[in-house]
């Protein structure tokens, strides 16, 4: 492997599933934002 910049010699050691990565990121961020929203609603009810 003399030419490290040659893409033909690159071995994909860990194949990734881009759609699954994006979907899991969206689900994770949505869940996190839901938790933040729920905490904000609870705090608002406690204050009022």
């Amino acid at each position: 492997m003399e030419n490290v910049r040659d893409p033909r010699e690159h071995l994909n050691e860990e194949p990734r599933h881009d759609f699954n990565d994006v979907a899991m990121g969206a689900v994770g961020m949505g869940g996190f934002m839901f938790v933040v929203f729920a905490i904000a609603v609870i705090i608002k009810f406690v204050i009022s």
Side-chain angles (χ1 to χ4, degrees):
M1 195 163 172
E2 296 175 12
N3 187 3
V4 294
R5 296 187 186 274
D6 188 359
R8 293 172 297 179
E9 296 182 7
H10 177 69
L11 296 176
N12 191 3
E13 297 174 359
E14 183 183 357
R16 303 299 298 167
H17 301 289
D18 291 336
F19 179 75
N20 289 344
D21 291 340
V22 172
M24 290 304 294
V27 169
M29 189 64 185
F32 173 73
M33 293 304 289
F34 179 77
V35 169
V36 170
F37 170 75
I39 291 172
V41 169
I42 291 170
I43 291 172
K44 182 178 177 354
F45 278 125
V46 168
I47 290 174
S48 62

